[in-house]
Amino acid sequence: MILSLDTSTTVCSAALHTLTGELLGCYELFTERTASSRLTTLLHDVVAHAGFALADVSAIAVAKGPGSYTGLRIGVSTAKGLCFALDKPLIGINTLVAMTEQIRPFYAPGNALSGTLFCPMIDARRMEVYCAIYDQQGQEVQPTSATILDEQSFANWLAQQPVVFFGDGAAKARPVLTHPNAIFPAVQVRPSARTVGTLAVQAYAAGQFEDLIAFEPYYLKEFMTTKPKAVL
């Protein structure tokens, strides 16, 4: 089995899959400030309620980012700690790829929207989002980046084919991306350990494991801090 976790945003989730891809359990919390206080409980419960122990899992998978600095640190630290304690391999999954896996099956090749591209977006302050673009096979056609949104964003893609924009950053994109090929689904798509696990099953079969010591979250941008004011 593979135990997966995602704390890329304020959503905190844990999932358990068999090595054949069957989902055994998934817990998700959508409240603020849940990752640090509830993550270990979710991980324990999703395994225990499926009738197993943590020692029974074959690998630990984690959404590596991009996303919240704090959330990613918590998730990756927890995943690495479990791997060290249980002597299990670590699998890192791009958060945007896992988000795309949630919505891609609804736009299967051959339907009315054949050729549709997918652009997952994570809010990154002001008019900036973390995003990438994937095709209907889930292959990357525009790499992950921090993008400032305006009327010309994605103009070259929208001129050629429909693009589905989703994730919490898509709310900022909707008012400025008015091209008829810009699609904004009514259903909200949030990062989830459910699809992190789906992709981790494939990575496990391919032997794609992380260097447990060197692995770090995919922050995408440097963490910005301010100096505290001097005490008078």
Side-chain angles (χ1 to χ4, degrees):
M1 295 171 292
I2 295 179
L3 177 61
S4 305
L5 58 132
D6 190 317
T7 56
S8 303
T9 61
T10 55
V11 179
C12 178
S13 60
L16 186 68
H17 289 78
T18 68
L19 293 182
T20 59
E22 179 185 0
L23 177 66
L24 298 179
C26 180
Y27 290 167
E28 297 176 325
L29 291 176
F30 300 99
T31 56
E32 297 285 344
R33 300 184 180 88
T34 57
S36 59
S37 60
R38 304 288 179 84
L39 178 58
T40 53
T41 301
L42 289 186
L43 292 170
H44 176 271
D45 287 353
V46 75
V47 174
H49 292 171
F52 300 97
L54 285 173
D56 295 326
V57 305
S58 303
I60 307 295
V62 62
K64 64 182 181 180
S68 158
Y69 291 106
T70 301
L72 293 175
R73 284 199 303 271
I74 292 170
V76 169
S77 297
T78 301
K80 292 178 71 170
L82 285 171
C83 289
F84 278 118
L86 301 172
D87 192 23
K88 305 294 182 180
L90 177 66
I91 299 171
I93 300 295
N94 185 298
T95 305
L96 298 176
V97 177
M99 290 173 64
T100 301
E101 193 65 19
Q102 293 184 45
I103 199 169
R104 189 170 58 84
F106 295 99
Y107 297 85
N111 64 14
L113 293 175
S114 181
T116 300
L117 299 176
F118 304 96
C119 184
M121 292 180 163
I122 295 177
D123 195 348
R125 297 182 182 181
R126 299 185 178 88
M127 287 302 290
E128 191 171 32
V129 294
Y130 300 132
C131 64
I133 296 181
Y134 304 92
D135 64 18
Q136 289 187 317
Q137 287 71 46
Q139 299 300 308
E140 180 185 273
V141 296
Q142 179 170 299
T144 302
S145 65
T147 299
I148 297 176
L149 297 171
D150 59 33
E151 291 78 1
Q152 296 304 311
S153 300
F154 313 103
N156 56 328
W157 296 110
L158 290 169
Q160 303 174 52
Q161 57 214 112
V163 181
V164 182
F165 299 94
F166 56 96
D168 62 5
K172 298 192 297 188
R174 185 190 289 267
V176 297
L177 299 181
T178 58
H179 194 283
N181 273 340
I183 302 171
F184 294 89
V187 177
Q188 187 172 12
V189 178
R190 301 174 178 179
S192 174
R194 180 188 297 261
T195 46
V196 169
T198 299
L199 295 170
V201 168
Q202 301 172 20
Y204 185 92
Q208 297 171 347
F209 304 116
E210 303 290 347
D211 182 326
L212 192 52
I213 296 177
F215 182 71
E216 293 184 353
Y218 181 31
Y219 291 123
L220 195 58
K221 295 198 307 181
E222 293 184 4
F223 182 57
M224 303 298 292
T225 60
T226 57
K227 294 182 179 179
K229 295 181 179 180
V231 177
L232 298 178

